[in-house]
Amino acid sequence: MKRILVTGFEAFGEDRINASWEAVEALPDVIGETEIVKWCLPVEYDRVEGCLKGFMEELEPNAVVCVGQAAGRTAITPEKAAINWMASGTADNAGVKYEGVRICDDEVAADGYFASLPVEKIEAVLKKAGIPAQVSYTAGTYVCNRVMYGLLRYLRQQASPIKGGFIHVPCSSDQGAENPRLPSMSKEMIAKGLETALEVIAKA
Ligand code: PCA
């Protein structure tokens, strides 16, 4: 049986919940012929890559899909690329803040990597299913981009056949209810969107 590792994130900043973990937790354990294994990652620049690699070594998945919350977005956004940069106005959950520094300062480290997930196809299939979706060309410069860059660099270095990438989701309507100005999507639609994306990935 094929296996996909899907991660969400713990809450961070002012939020009590993180829409990504809420949706990942709601996913079925099996989609078609593929086992779905779910993990929650810490919102910590310096720990997140090590945690993810630990899960990957334990599970030996065929694909790794990390999911994070992007407040303000109105669609499910598969990320095309990660960049070698960390910059955020706020600290992570360990109190660490980077204000413009490379993730990997090895001189020959790539400035960026493309995801190896079929992001354009995911956008098309989700839209057809009536779920707002759009390929995004920036995963930001915070912990989500940090883990995506680390994942793609690791897979490239290992010449790994594992497919990897990242999907940002909007805030959930529970968060929207607390702050009506915040763009949000229902938990059910976010989870359905992720499930549909995983079906596309499993078939690819
Ligand atoms: N979103 C943040 C980090 C964790 C999350 O869910 C980001 O976009 O970097």
Side-chain angles (χ1 to χ4, degrees):
M1 198 181 215
K2 270 203 204 170
R3 180 181 291 153
I4 303 182
L5 170 61
V6 188
T7 66
F9 275 104
E10 64 182 4
F12 65 105
E14 310 274 279
D15 285 337
R16 283 181 305 107
I17 50 174
N18 188 313
S20 68
W21 178 241
E22 231 182 10
V24 169
E25 240 190 332
L27 288 170
D29 296 320
V30 176
I31 297 178
E33 302 284 291
T34 304
E35 182 191 1
I36 305 299
V37 182
K38 311 157 203 174
W39 283 102
C40 190
L41 290 173
V43 181
E44 294 183 37
Y45 281 116
D46 299 334
R47 262 201 336 124
V48 69
E49 184 179 334
C51 287
L52 181 67
K53 282 185 189 163
F55 298 151
M56 285 171 68
E57 272 151 30
E58 215 174 288
L59 285 163
E60 299 183 356
N62 302 91
V64 179
V65 182
C66 299
V67 184
Q69 167 188 309
R73 288 201 186 165
T74 53
I76 293 185
T77 48
E79 298 292 349
K80 183 72 184 174
I83 60 170
N84 188 13
W85 199 246
M86 298 185 283
S88 60
T90 50
D92 68 8
N93 284 355
V96 174
K97 183 161 141 184
Y98 290 109
E99 293 175 306
V101 60
R102 280 152 63 94
I103 293 168
C104 183
D105 64 5
D106 173 347
E107 254 177 46
V108 293
D111 291 335
Y113 291 101
F114 283 136
S116 49
L117 301 180
V119 291
E120 291 83 8
K121 177 94 184 158
I122 293 170
E123 175 188 314
V125 174
L126 261 65
K127 279 180 171 167
K128 221 169 165 198
I131 301 169
Q134 189 170 37
V135 172
S136 160
Y137 298 101
T138 174
T141 49
Y142 191 42
V143 179
C144 291
N145 174 73
R146 169 72 189 81
V147 78
M148 184 181 177
Y149 182 88
L151 168 65
L152 297 177
R153 179 177 160 83
Y154 175 72
L155 295 178
R156 189 69 66 85
Q157 278 177 334
Q158 311 278 313
S160 172
I162 300 172
K163 301 291 177 203
F166 198 98
I167 300 177
H168 264 119
V169 300
C171 289
S172 71
S173 34
D174 289 351
Q175 293 164 294
E178 285 173 15
N179 176 2
R181 285 177 182 272
L182 191 66
S184 63
M185 189 182 272
S186 74
K187 294 193 266 210
E188 293 73 22
M189 187 175 270
I190 298 175
K192 187 71 207 159
L194 289 182
E195 187 177 340
T196 308
L198 293 171
E199 281 166 11
V200 173
I201 293 162
K203 277 188 210 144

